[in-house]
Amino acid sequence: MNLATANPQKPMDSSATTGVAGASRASTTEDYGAVTAIRGSVVEVRFPQGKLPLINEALEVIGENGTRLVLEVQSHIDETQVRTVAMNKTSGLMRGTPVRRTHSPIAVAVGKPVLGRLVDVMGEPIDGLPAFDPQTERWPIHRASPSLARRQPGRKVFETGIKVIDLLAPMAHGGKAGMLGGAGVGKTVLVMELIHAMVRSYSGIAVFAGVGERSREGHELLLEMRRSDVMERTVLVFGQMNEPPGARWRVGLTALTIAEYFRDVSGDNVLFLMDNAFRFVQAGAEVSGLLGRMPSRVGYQPTLASEIAELQERIASVPGAVMTAVEAVYVPADDFTDPAVAELFSHLDSSIVLSRAMATEGLYPAIDPLASTSVLLDPLVVGDEHYRAAQEVRSTIEHYRELQDIIAILGTEELSPADRVVVKRARRLQRFLTQPFAVTEAFTGQKGRSVKLADTLRGCQAILSGECDEMAEASFYMIGNLDEAREREAASRERH
């Protein structure tokens, strides 16, 4: 970046500025400071005495070729210096470079113009389509969460068409659901399937926050959205893996601000999706280290809890508009006691835990039926039939797992007749709770299935009652409802 090295007191043309609410404010010489130190993404800036920018205020550096670097104020060093975090790469930046105050936090474009667009942390398009009109409304990314009096808790079940989720960890319409799992167990695939399954039937707007997203995953998601004809009701906000930590740290707030506009002004229901919430924490830890803060447990930033709460508490439903959140959460080394995972876990209504052992067995989606939970799995919410079926499915699979060590050593022949029946039914349940996804059709060649909750309950009850004891286990693998299992069983018998 070839940045201007002119006298810091020389005002620059403020017409080049975008992305901050104060861009239209006339600049004075007192609005300018100069860079005094650069440490990676952290930049220190000196301003005239008594003219320090506020915490979270956006500062701008305009380069000779019109390139723009945005800095966000994080701390006041003394009476004249501030420490900032860069939202763009700082390569080419030098000491003495002029820096302009904007008198506003970072502000991003909101409303109808952003629908169907792919934008970055600054709310600027990165999809190769025309830039937003300068008159487009912009909101600051730092906003207060809705007051307790305005909040509307989500107590209505949101059917996803994914059997194991709807049965054992039902999602709340207006709640927060987390997909927790280690690397390579299918979190992103599950989030993409939920987008595919939910946006079509969801009467509202979808906002996707790609935090530290791989370029390949982002490209696949964009193609999938366009192929599904849901892009015109969707906004994609990306902070890519190769971007500075400041961009990855703030991209979630950018997406949330866009979602809040549709909730609060348009009165639309909003589906907020984030992949991956853990990378938001990682970016915060990088920034914290660069700012010189003393690390806390396991090397995380001391502000871990407040940073997560700042983001999560803004995800809320209000009267007349519902915001439902689905977040993928990477679990480092499959350690669910990790401080970041535990803190994120505490904000969720539904926790969908992915199991590496199940993924190894090919049981996809690899959702652990025992570890996955939901506050909605209550007879007063889902009804007695659903609650009893879910508890019986869990009990049967748990008993089977307790017997697995004995089976590995002695075989099923040494089990009691009652235990052999439990093993038979648990294995059929595990396979019945698998299903092919629409987003994986290109890889598996199997058409995706969406299963109604009533069909899921009917299938599980049939297996638990012993109605399917004589059917082969393979008949239940990667199917939709029980009728499909019976058709597969009949076809298999005809072949043999």
Side-chain angles (χ1 to χ4, degrees), residues 153-358:
R155 298 292 288 174
K156 181 183 173 186
V157 175
F158 196 159
E159 278 195 42
T160 65
I162 299 173
K163 289 181 285 190
V164 64
I165 293 177
D166 290 343
L167 176 69
L168 300 173
M171 288 173 53
H173 188 64
K176 291 194 277 273
M179 313 289 168
L180 297 93
V185 293
K187 294 184 301 301
T188 298
V189 170
L190 191 55
V191 168
M192 287 178 67
E193 179 66 15
L194 280 168
I195 294 170
H196 186 274
M198 294 162 73
V199 172
R200 283 177 178 273
S201 59
Y202 197 90
S203 56
I205 304 295
V207 180
F208 180 88
V211 183
E213 194 80 342
R214 298 178 185 90
S215 298
R216 171 186 57 79
E217 290 175 347
H219 184 66
E220 286 174 2
L221 179 65
L222 183 62
L223 292 178
E224 178 63 32
M225 290 294 206
R226 287 175 173 165
R227 190 162 50 239
S228 303
D229 296 324
V230 296
M231 195 62 196
E232 67 276 4
R233 303 284 291 167
T234 303
V235 185
L236 302 179
V237 188
F238 277 89
Q240 295 174 174
M241 257 184 180
N242 62 329
E243 293 193 64
R248 289 179 274 119
W249 190 38
R250 292 308 191 205
V251 72
L253 298 184
T254 297
L256 198 46
T257 301
I258 293 169
E260 285 171 331
Y261 178 89
F262 290 111
R263 180 194 67 191
D264 297 339
V265 177
S266 306
D268 290 303
N269 290 340
V270 180
L271 176 61
F272 181 75
L273 304 127
M274 181 185 288
D275 186 8
N276 184 304
F278 182 79
R279 294 198 195 112
F280 161 75
V281 174
Q282 274 187 315
E286 282 184 60
V287 168
S288 182
L290 289 167
L291 291 171
R293 293 176 185 151
M294 186 71 72
S296 183
R297 282 190 306 159
V298 200
Y300 286 115
Q301 60 270 44
T303 53
L304 173 69
S306 57
E307 282 178 17
I308 290 174
E310 180 189 357
L311 179 77
Q312 298 290 343
E313 287 303 303
R314 284 172 59 180
I315 303 171
S317 299
V318 298
V322 171
M323 186 182 288
T324 305
V326 179
E327 306 169 31
V329 181
Y330 166 68
V331 180
D334 293 336
D335 178 14
F336 286 86
T337 64
D338 183 271
V341 176
E343 192 61 42
L344 285 161
F345 195 87
S346 68
H347 290 272
L348 303 173
D349 299 312
S350 305
S351 302
I352 298 160
V353 179
L354 288 103
S355 159
R356 190 170 303 282
M358 291 181 67

Side-chain angles (χ1 to χ4, degrees), residues 29 39 72 88 102 117 136 141-142 165 178 195 205 224 244 248 299 319 322 326 332 340 399 418 423 434 469:
T29 53
R39 289 195 301 275
E72 186 180 84
N88 322 79
T102 65
R117 302 300 298 271
T136 301
I141 65 169
H142 295 282
I165 293 177
I195 294 170
I205 304 295
E224 178 63 32
R248 289 179 274 119
V322 171
V326 179
H399 193 172
V423 169
T434 63
D469 283 359

Side-chain angles (χ1 to χ4, degrees), residues 1-5 35-45 59-61 63 67-72 83-95 97 99 242-247 287 290:
M1 184 187 295
N2 294 319
L3 296 161
T5 56
V35 173
T36 58
I38 306 155
R39 289 195 301 275
S41 294
V42 171
V43 180
E44 293 179 10
V45 185
L59 311 178
E60 288 186 326
V61 182
T67 55
R68 175 171 164 265
L69 170 65
V70 175
L71 311 172
E72 186 180 84
R83 188 167 286 148
T84 69
V85 173
M87 296 295 122
N88 322 79
K89 291 181 179 177
T90 56
S91 55
L93 188 63
M94 296 184 293
R95 285 183 177 181
T97 300
V99 179
N242 62 329
E243 293 193 64
V287 168
L290 289 167

